[in-house]
Amino acid sequence: MKEKLHRIQVYGRVYKTLLRLNVTKLFAYRANFINSAIAHTIWAAFGVISMLLLTSKVATVYGWTPNELMLLAGTYNLILSFFYFFFSRNFGDLADVIHFGKLDTFLLKPIDTQFLISSWNVGYTQLIRFVIGFGVVWYFLVHMGTSLTFVSLVQFMLLLCASVIILYSFWMLVLTLLLWFTNVSNLVDLLYQINGITRFPSEIYKGFGMILFFVLFPLTLIVVSPTKALLQQMTWQEMLVPIGFAIGMGFLCRRFWQFALRFYTSASG
Amino acid sequence: MFLLSLPSLSATCMRYFRMFALHMQDIFEQRGRTFVWLLISCIAPLIMILFWRGAKGVNGWSFEEILSYYLLLIVFRAMLISHNEERVAVTDIQEGQLTAYLVKPFSYFWLVFFQELPYRLFQGGIGILFLVLCFQLLRITSSVELFMLSVVSIILSFFLGFIFKMIIGLCAFWMTDSRGLFEVVDVTLVIFTGLLMPLAFYPQWLESVSYFLPFAYMLYFPIVMVQGQLDYVEVFKALSMQLFWIGLLVLVYRLMWRSGIRKYTAVGQ
């Protein structure tokens, strides 16, 4: 127990150092920082604008009103801001890291490889997306006259963590395939597109084919569940589903990564 | 630059054909990547089909027309939207590859054109196979004349999109990092080409604005023409707009190339 606690402290210190190093990088490459900030502002605004346009001429979509769909768009930005802040830049580099044999450097370090490849880069510019997402959620909650209670806030926080874990595990599961298919570097682009699935009500995938629905099911929980918590439509029992998926998928992606590492053949592969 | 002298026409055609064939080989060498790009162009339109299936109160269009629109969109997007801007800006201008092309007896414009064409033809070819499979779901004009005019519009829209992306690529002559610009262009294209939804669904003012811009003529108009949603007057109006924008963009391209090439510097041994 004491040793485990010590390990957690060590990883905490490493992560703190990485956060500091990333701030230094931010100021060293200012043009890159400005460009990223512009890009993330544009995409975050697009997430909101596109939903405004989609709902501009419809009364309801699968029983969701335009205001509720806008709340969904805000929550989508909020959740993605956390995921992109902590992980997405690292996943973006993973194809190159594996293809050019740079993973050797990570494997040789006296620290868990999955931790290191997932946390090397931090996307500070995602804070802009967070602000936009938070603003949209706040505006539409007030606009709809929904008051936040302590319970709904706790539920929202728990579901937000579960959502980020599901998203992380899904990306990790897919990108681990790069250890076998090193040439398919555009898998990350595919995952960015798949993220778009999460910003719509889960009902849209029902009846489209059970297999597809069950594959997509955990993804459809990512944004819908926290939004339902904000709308006070989530019971504690219902919360067990996304939390269960988060634990299950987290475990699965860890095991799959460890299994796949056996097939890593460095730059000669 | 665009006009080839007659005596050397045959030899020049042969050179460009070889370039075309060479890049066709690249597609088959990178089968996995090509397949993933195809998946990427399918995801967003498929989600939109599911979204509109559950939408209540959509004015004007039936669900069958919307379904047909997005199925055509998948194919037309793969076939007509070029992705040459990043190669022009990053590989050629910023990394200095352009120097090698400048000393060769080729037009840079046509060189990039014949690099891009195989990808569009290959992806478009697979797309057409896909359309044949779901032919029952398509709503296509029954008029042969209108269909032939749509084919003309499709060819013009490819040129329009290609020249536009070349111009975006050339902006790298004046910018050290073009990624922010690429993001702006991506979002603009998603909104104004009809990738998000048919432009007829937009609020009136935004619909009018989008008809003035060149983007609607890159994707939206060829699709609605094939669907038979335009009469002869509207078809000729759209074709005239395409020709007008191609003429204007060619002028802009030539001006940018002339002044950009004077600014261009490359280093090496």
Side-chain angles (χ1 to χ4, degrees):
Chain A
M1 184 69 191
K2 207 173 171 185
E3 200 184 322
K4 264 190 181 171
L5 211 69
H6 175 68
R7 274 177 74 83
I8 291 170
Q9 278 176 341
V10 170
Y11 277 87
R13 272 205 302 274
V14 171
Y15 197 67
K16 226 167 114 182
T17 313
L18 285 173
L19 284 174
R20 237 191 351 257
L21 284 172
N22 274 280
V23 174
T24 317
K25 252 197 278 183
L26 210 64
F27 290 106
Y29 304 105
R30 278 187 289 272
N32 188 22
F33 164 66
I34 293 166
N35 261 312
S36 300
I38 293 170
H40 296 143
T41 310
I42 289 165
W43 282 112
F46 172 72
V48 178
I49 292 167
S50 63
M51 193 57 96
L52 265 175
L53 289 172
L54 282 169
T55 54
S56 64
K57 284 195 176 171
V58 294
T60 60
V61 179
Y62 294 95
W64 289 66
T65 63
N67 279 341
E68 287 171 343
L69 287 168
M70 287 308 297
L71 191 66
L72 209 61
T75 318
Y76 169 77
N77 267 331
L78 213 56
I79 289 167
L80 281 198
S81 69
F82 280 98
F83 174 68
Y84 289 164
F85 180 93
F86 290 111
F87 307 116
S88 79
R89 278 189 61 198
N90 300 293
F91 288 137
D93 292 345
L94 195 58
D96 272 0
V97 166
I98 294 170
H99 187 63
F100 295 109
K102 293 180 207 163
L103 191 61
D104 300 2
T105 331
F106 290 92
L107 287 167
L108 289 171
K109 291 198 164 61
I111 196 159
D112 186 80
T113 315
Q114 190 183 344
F115 168 79
L116 211 54
I117 58 153
S118 309
S119 57
W120 194 256
N121 292 301
V122 180
Y124 281 107
T125 45
Q126 291 297 336
L127 290 171
I128 296 168
R129 189 185 277 265
F130 174 81
V131 172
I132 292 175
F134 185 80
V136 173
V137 168
W138 189 262
Y139 176 81
F140 279 94
L141 279 176
V142 172
H143 187 66
M144 291 161 70
T146 310
S147 52
L148 272 182
T149 62
F150 177 71
V151 174
S152 65
L153 205 62
V154 171
Q155 283 183 328
F156 176 77
M157 298 295 232
L158 282 172
L159 288 170
L160 194 136
C161 293
S163 298
V164 174
I165 294 170
I166 292 174
L167 210 49
Y168 169 83
S169 308
F170 180 75
W171 276 56
M172 195 70 205
L173 274 168
V174 174
L175 291 178
T176 301
L177 295 173
L178 284 170
L179 285 163
W180 287 283
F181 309 104
T182 54
N183 275 326
V184 195
S185 55
N186 53 349
L187 264 184
V188 175
D189 297 290
L190 180 69
L191 287 167
Y192 276 110
Q193 282 286 320
I194 291 176
N195 274 358
I197 289 174
T198 63
R199 69 189 180 118
F200 294 102
S202 46
E203 291 87 346
I204 79 168
Y205 306 104
K206 277 182 186 161
F208 191 70
M210 287 312 269
I211 297 172
L212 184 70
F213 178 69
F214 281 113
V215 171
L216 298 178
F217 184 67
L219 293 178
T220 62
L221 295 172
I222 291 171
V223 180
V224 172
S225 306
T227 309
K228 282 191 171 172
L230 286 175
L231 292 168
Q232 293 163 32
Q233 294 171 0
M234 199 77 178
T235 63
W236 290 101
Q237 284 90 335
E238 283 172 330
M239 280 182 63
L240 292 176
V241 180
I243 290 171
F245 266 108
I247 295 167
M249 285 180 72
F251 178 75
L252 195 68
C253 89
R254 174 79 183 154
R255 279 301 163 99
F256 188 49
W257 171 254
Q258 285 171 337
F259 170 75
L261 268 186
R262 291 187 218 158
F263 297 87
Y264 174 64
T265 48
S266 190
S268 61
Chain B
M1 178 176 53
F2 295 95
L3 294 173
L4 306 169
S5 64
L6 280 173
S8 62
L9 189 64
S10 148
T12 312
C13 284
M14 207 55 213
R15 266 186 233 146
Y16 288 120
F17 176 73
R18 286 202 186 107
M19 263 182 252
F20 171 83
L22 198 69
H23 288 285
M24 205 63 171
Q25 284 177 16
D26 283 350
I27 295 174
F28 291 101
E29 191 205 330
Q30 301 185 357
R31 290 178 297 273
R33 277 178 64 81
T34 309
F35 176 70
V36 172
W37 282 126
L38 271 170
L39 279 182
I40 289 171
S41 56
C42 292
I43 290 175
L46 286 177
I47 298 173
M48 284 297 106
I49 291 172
L50 298 176
F51 177 87
W52 290 112
R53 192 182 55 157
K56 298 268 184 290
V58 186
N59 293 329
W61 290 39
S62 66
F63 176 67
E64 285 70 28
E65 282 170 331
I66 296 174
L67 176 66
S68 170
Y69 176 86
Y70 281 107
L71 290 176
L72 287 168
L73 182 73
I74 292 172
V75 179
F76 282 32
R77 181 194 190 182
M79 191 162 56
L80 301 179
I81 299 289
S82 303
H83 300 288
N84 46 308
E85 75 280 21
E86 201 163 335
R87 188 169 49 216
V88 171
V90 180
T91 316
D92 292 351
I93 297 175
Q94 279 161 10
E95 292 175 10
Q97 285 284 321
L98 185 62
T99 316
Y101 299 132
L102 289 177
V103 292
K104 285 183 179 138
F106 304 126
S107 148
Y108 178 67
F109 179 88
W110 291 110
L111 186 116
V112 180
F113 182 82
F114 284 105
Q115 280 176 351
E116 185 64 26
L117 190 61
Y119 289 93
R120 298 303 116 229
L121 286 179
F122 180 78
Q123 294 195 4
I126 292 183
I128 289 168
L129 278 178
F130 164 75
L131 282 189
V132 170
L133 288 175
C134 49
F135 189 74
Q136 295 285 322
L137 302 171
L138 295 177
R139 297 283 176 272
I140 291 180
T141 175
S142 53
S143 155
V144 179
E145 293 84 9
L146 279 178
F147 187 79
M148 294 313 286
L149 286 171
S150 311
V151 174
V152 175
S153 173
I154 289 168
I155 296 167
L156 290 178
S157 63
F158 172 66
F159 275 97
L160 181 58
F162 178 77
I163 302 166
F164 174 73
K165 289 293 187 86
M166 283 298 281
I167 289 172
I168 297 302
L170 291 194
C171 290
F173 279 129
W174 295 272
M175 299 169 89
T176 48
D177 192 345
S178 328
R179 276 173 300 173
L181 177 70
F182 293 161
E183 304 290 343
V184 176
V185 169
D186 280 348
V187 171
T188 310
L189 287 180
V190 171
I191 293 176
F192 290 108
T193 57
L195 272 172
L196 180 66
M197 61 190 201
L199 299 181
F201 290 7
Y202 283 173
Q204 190 59 50
W205 66 271
L206 191 58
E207 190 187 342
S208 309
V209 169
S210 47
Y211 293 164
F212 272 109
L213 300 171
F215 313 113
Y217 303 94
M218 292 176 189
L219 212 53
Y220 178 71
F221 275 103
I223 295 175
V224 287
M225 264 187 220
V226 171
Q227 283 194 300
Q229 301 215 0
L230 303 183
D231 56 31
Y232 278 102
V233 177
E234 288 169 324
V235 165
F236 282 110
K237 210 171 145 189
L239 288 172
S240 319
M241 284 299 277
Q242 283 184 314
L243 286 170
F244 165 75
W245 278 112
I246 288 175
L248 189 67
L249 292 186
V250 165
L251 272 177
V252 173
Y253 173 83
R254 296 182 82 149
L255 282 173
M256 285 178 75
W257 175 258
R258 272 187 208 153
S259 67
I261 208 70
R262 285 192 210 113
K263 243 181 100 59
Y264 174 71
T265 48
V267 287
Q269 289 181 317

